[in-house]
Amino acid sequence: MSTGLIIALIVIVAVAVVAAVLMSRARGPRHGTGLKRRFGPEYDRAVARHDGDTKAAERELAERLERHGDLRVRPLEPTERERYEARWTAIQERFVDAPRDAVAEADRLIAELAAARGFPADGHYEDQLAALSVHHAHHVEGYRRVHRVAQAGAHDGGAGTEEMREAVVGARALFEELVRPSRHEAGRHRAGADGHRTSPAVGRGHRTPSLFHRHQTKES
């Protein structure tokens, strides 16, 4: 083998190695950036839980995405949607006199609604939470919080009124995401929208702050 051919082979191998390294470096940040964009606050929470180890956090989030990324959300029938909205309104109103019961019911309602939409069910809270974090990353913390407060109330007397109020308010964002029709559903039902009226639960939902304010006034 000639010296020139050997030199050429060495150059080709060196170029291939450099290209592989550069591609590997480029792929890593894009992967991390993609996860951070997808999971938002859940990304930061995962990093904090892994004591700042971004690689470990990204592995966890990538596993969640692999398990639940292809989950197909089941549409709600209009009557189902109205029933869930009515139950949420009842929770808000019940908070005035029985905040602990209202928190527990909010926790149950979100679990039932998530199951109805096709997320993991049968009491598998952690798996359901992981799936919700893939599809509703910006609102899943509200469910985590209301579940934690509900569990504390069931075992050791639980949180104070203000913490319970904040838990229900925080959980409402995920509830609204889950109960809201998707674009596909909205388009499918648009033809019949002329006869549609706003559910009483939706209208009454705006009274939440005043209801909670009344409860705080009563406590003070």
Side-chain angles (χ1 to χ4, degrees), residues 44-55:
D44 295 331
R45 187 180 183 280
V47 171
R49 189 170 62 254
H50 286 281
D51 298 321
D53 187 342
T54 57
K55 296 296 183 184

Side-chain angles (χ1 to χ4, degrees), residues 81 83-89 106 109-110 113 139 170-180:
R81 182 170 293 109
R83 187 163 61 248
Y84 285 119
E85 288 169 343
R87 285 178 63 185
W88 187 264
T89 299
L109 177 56
I110 291 179
L113 175 56
H139 302 297
R172 185 174 60 188
L174 179 60
F175 170 81
E176 290 174 349
E177 281 283 306
L178 289 171
V179 85
R180 179 184 300 130

Side-chain angles (χ1 to χ4, degrees), residues 57-122:
E58 287 172 5
R59 280 196 299 271
E60 177 192 327
L61 295 176
E63 288 171 4
R64 290 193 211 176
L65 192 58
E66 178 69 22
R67 290 202 317 271
H68 304 294
D70 294 332
L71 184 146
R72 289 182 174 271
V73 178
R74 185 183 77 81
L76 294 176
E77 295 297 327
T79 53
E80 286 183 288
R81 182 170 293 109
E82 290 181 4
R83 187 163 61 248
Y84 285 119
E85 288 169 343
R87 285 178 63 185
W88 187 264
T89 299
I91 287 169
Q92 295 174 156
E93 294 175 344
R94 191 177 187 185
F95 189 93
V96 177
D97 297 311
R100 205 172 307 284
D101 293 342
V103 169
E105 177 60 19
D107 180 38
R108 285 192 296 269
L109 177 56
I110 291 179
E112 290 177 25
L113 175 56
R117 298 300 318 245
F119 290 90
D122 300 325

Side-chain angles (χ1 to χ4, degrees), residues 167-190:
V168 174
V169 170
R172 185 174 60 188
L174 179 60
F175 170 81
E176 290 174 349
E177 281 283 306
L178 289 171
V179 85
R180 179 184 300 130
S182 66
R183 290 181 181 178
H184 175 72
E185 292 174 79
R188 190 181 62 185
H189 294 296
R190 190 169 293 139

